[in-house]
């Protein structure tokens, strides 16, 4: 889950000293480096922000495959967490800089190659994130009724590729309003001490109107002592789960399970082995789970099957086991096992002048402040290489002047940031008419028609 962060949270102070102690370039006689950033999500914008802030002459161009910017801030944040999207204000400020340009509707690796970008720029930073989901790799995963959490989130957030399944889009809201789902189980291979959700997310679930948490007190036996020395966030989270389990257990006993419209619960130490089909073999009817035991403790504990199995009946399965990055271009090294670009402090291994930041650099972990700091680190590597002469800026580069010619020859029309702002204004106007912050346009062709492309 993403969370907001201050644009100055990296400790940068007036006077231009970055975390690595580099002074800003002040000489107007120095050559102007041209930097290209691929991807306009948080990693891309934070990388651009840091370079622009600490180099007075650098010019940064940001390329994005969609017409619209901001990546997971637009398409990955739940509609009921609008405060998280405040970072868009910071990104907009960066994009409006006279040394920054945004080019949407450009797919790097197809419309223009990484090699062509390297010819046009002194440095290229790949920040395109993790656009695919990891798979369970079990029988039945392709049955109707089985989806990735990524696809589900993209559907209700208006991601163009998932639009047929905001700020929540009207069609998604209508579908959810008619939902017949009465019980949701969250199953994980490990135990309460290894859960990855936050205490804020747990509180929101506990306080959902018309919904009852179902937590088994037996799952928390002995954990009060086990978390005494745990870090404070883990301790508070576990204590809230224990409290909820005991309170709801007593309520259930007293009220003899009063009628509650919906329930959700946690099932620990269960590992999915097979998605079970209906009699006709077409849809999901349940999941066969292996019961596990834990070896080790804390975050390093591993789930080991006990040999026992159970079946959980369900008509919908959402797999939420993480995102993964995909290879972008044959010229870019890629670690297929870990789904990242091999790098050292953001410098792509074996390819001078090529860098990476964000999830494609370190894997899909952390919240937005993690991505911010990671992107600042990569930007710092670029700045150091500029200062030390690793990047030769004595040879002038054309930047978008060269890339624009390539795109025109291939029939590609980029979307500028001012054109995105026209799309933005149209979405806000549609939302206002419906009494909401915005109504997203989910069809890229409609976006392009709106701006006269």
């Amino acid at each position: 889950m993403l969370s907001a962060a201050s644009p100055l949270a990296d400790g940068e102070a007036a006077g231009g000293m970055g975390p690595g102690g580099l002074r800003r370039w002040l000489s107007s006689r120095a050559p102007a480096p041209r930097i290209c950033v691929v991807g306009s999500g948080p990693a891309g914008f934070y990388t651009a922000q840091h370079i622009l802030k600490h180099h007075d002459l650098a010019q940064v161009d940001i390329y994005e495959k969609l017409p619209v910017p901001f990546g997971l801030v637009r398409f990955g944040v739940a509609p009921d967490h609008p405060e998280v999207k405040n970072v868009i204000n910071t990104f907009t400020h960066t994009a409006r800089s006279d040394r920054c340009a945004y080019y949407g509707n450009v797919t790097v690796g197809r419309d223009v190659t990484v090699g062509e970008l390297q010819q046009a720029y002194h440095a290229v930073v790949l920040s395109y994130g993790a656009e695919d989901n990891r798979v369970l790799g079990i029988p039945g995963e392709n049955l109707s009724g089985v989806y990735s959490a990524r696809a589900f989130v993209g559907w209700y957030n208006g991601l163009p590729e998932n639009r047929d399944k905001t700020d929540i889009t009207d069609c998604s809201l209508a579908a959810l309003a008619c939902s017949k789902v009465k019980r949701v189980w969250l199953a994980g291979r490990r135990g309460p001490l290894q859960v990855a959700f936050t205490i804020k997310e747990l509180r929101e679930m506990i306080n959902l109107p018309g919904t009852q948490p179902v937590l088994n007190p037996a799952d928390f036996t002995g954990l009060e002592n086990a978390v005494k020395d745990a870090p404070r966030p883990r301790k508070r989270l576990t204590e809230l789960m224990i409290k909820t389990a005991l309170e709801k257990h007593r309520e259930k006993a007293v009220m003899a399970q009063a009628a509650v419209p919906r329930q959700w619960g946690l099932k620990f130490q269960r590992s999915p082995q097979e998605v079970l089909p209906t009699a006709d073999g077409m849809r999901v009817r349940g999941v066969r789970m292996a019961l596990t035991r834990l070896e080790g403790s804390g975050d390093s504990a591993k789930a080991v099957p006990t040999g026992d199995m159970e079946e959980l009946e369900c008509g919908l399965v959402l797999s939420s086991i993480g995102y993964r990055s995909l290879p972008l271009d044959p010229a870019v090294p890629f670690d297929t096992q870990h789904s990242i670009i091999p790098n050292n402090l953001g410098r792509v291994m074996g390819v001078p002048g090529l860098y990476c930041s964000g999830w494609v650099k370190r894997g899909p972990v952390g919240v937005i402040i993690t991505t911010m700091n990671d992107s600042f680190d990569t930007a710092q590597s670029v700045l150091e290489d500029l200062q030390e002469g690793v990047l030769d800026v004595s040879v002038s580069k054309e930047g978008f002047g060269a890339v624009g010619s390539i795109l025109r020859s291939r029939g590609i029309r980029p979307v500028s940031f001012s054109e995105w702002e026209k799309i933005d204004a149209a979405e806000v106007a549609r939302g206002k008419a419906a009494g909401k912050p915005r109504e997203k346009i989910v069809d890229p062709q409609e976006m392009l028609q709106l701006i006269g492309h």
Side-chain angles (χ1 to χ4, degrees), residues 89-130:
N89 298 330
T90 303
F91 300 159
T92 298
H93 179 75
T94 297
R96 287 175 176 168
S97 164
D98 57 6
R99 292 186 291 120
C100 184
Y102 168 84
Y103 300 104
N105 196 41
V106 177
T107 301
V108 173
R110 185 192 69 189
D111 301 335
V112 60
T113 68
V114 171
E116 289 168 334
L117 292 177
Q118 288 179 289
Q119 290 293 315
Y121 293 90
H122 293 105
V124 175
V125 186
L126 303 176
S127 306
Y128 61 88

Side-chain angles (χ1 to χ4, degrees), residues 155-156 165 168-180 262 436 439:
W155 167 69
Y156 67 62
K165 304 274 174 206
I168 189 169
T169 59
D170 275 348
C171 62
S172 306
L173 186 61
L176 292 172
C178 298
S179 170
K180 297 179 181 178
R262 293 180 174 88
K436 53 198 287 196
E439 179 62 35

Side-chain angles (χ1 to χ4, degrees), residues 234-306:
R234 174 67 66 185
K235 182 180 179 182
R236 292 175 62 231
L237 175 59
T238 307
E239 288 173 345
L240 180 57
M241 284 191 286
I242 294 171
K243 178 185 176 187
T244 303
L246 295 176
E247 283 184 353
K248 297 303 176 184
H249 183 70
R250 283 194 293 267
E251 285 179 15
K252 183 178 175 181
V254 171
M255 299 172 65
Q257 190 138 10
V260 177
R262 293 180 174 88
Q263 295 180 327
W264 66 271
L266 301 172
K267 284 189 175 289
F268 298 108
Q269 295 181 231
R270 280 149 170 95
S271 177
Q273 301 298 299
E274 180 182 1
V275 179
L276 304 172
T278 51
D280 61 7
M282 301 297 291
R283 288 191 55 82
V284 57
R285 68 166 176 84
V287 181
R288 179 173 289 122
M289 303 267 197
L291 275 60
T292 67
R293 57 181 173 81
L294 297 185
E295 290 186 353
S297 60
D299 291 341
S300 62
K302 296 189 180 301
V304 179
T306 63

Side-chain angles (χ1 to χ4, degrees), residues 180-215:
K180 297 179 181 178
V181 174
K182 301 299 182 186
R183 182 178 292 109
V184 176
W185 290 110
L186 289 83
R189 291 173 303 150
R190 299 192 292 171
L193 296 182
Q194 291 81 35
V195 296
F197 52 74
T198 66
I199 192 167
K200 179 182 178 182
E201 291 166 332
L202 178 62
R203 281 201 194 102
E204 289 179 342
M205 289 293 292
I206 292 170
N207 295 324
L208 277 176
T211 306
Q212 181 187 47
V214 182
L215 279 68

Side-chain angles (χ1 to χ4, degrees), residues 14 25 29 129 182 191 237 254 272-273 277-278 298 305 349 383 387 417:
W25 275 250
R29 294 169 296 182
K182 301 299 182 186
L237 175 59
V254 171
Q273 301 298 299
T278 51
M349 305 290 273
L383 294 172
Q387 186 186 48
F417 199 79

Side-chain angles (χ1 to χ4, degrees), residues 279-347:
D280 61 7
M282 301 297 291
R283 288 191 55 82
V284 57
R285 68 166 176 84
V287 181
R288 179 173 289 122
M289 303 267 197
L291 275 60
T292 67
R293 57 181 173 81
L294 297 185
E295 290 186 353
S297 60
D299 291 341
S300 62
K302 296 189 180 301
V304 179
T306 63
D308 294 329
M309 296 279 185
E310 75 172 21
E311 292 187 5
L312 182 64
E313 289 187 15
C314 57
L316 175 66
V317 174
L318 298 174
S319 65
S320 183
I321 56 172
Y323 289 46
R324 64 170 184 164
S325 298
L326 297 173
L328 183 73
D329 188 296
V332 181
F334 194 78
D335 180 343
T336 54
Q337 182 178 355
H338 299 98
S339 297
I340 60 170
I341 295 174
N343 70 92
N344 180 17
L345 300 176
R347 298 176 177 93

Side-chain angles (χ1 to χ4, degrees), residues 365-382:
V365 294
V367 292
I368 199 169
I369 194 169
T370 321
T371 295
M372 180 185 75
N373 290 325
D374 170 90
S375 302
F376 288 165
D377 288 344
T378 292
Q380 200 69 17
S381 292
V382 175

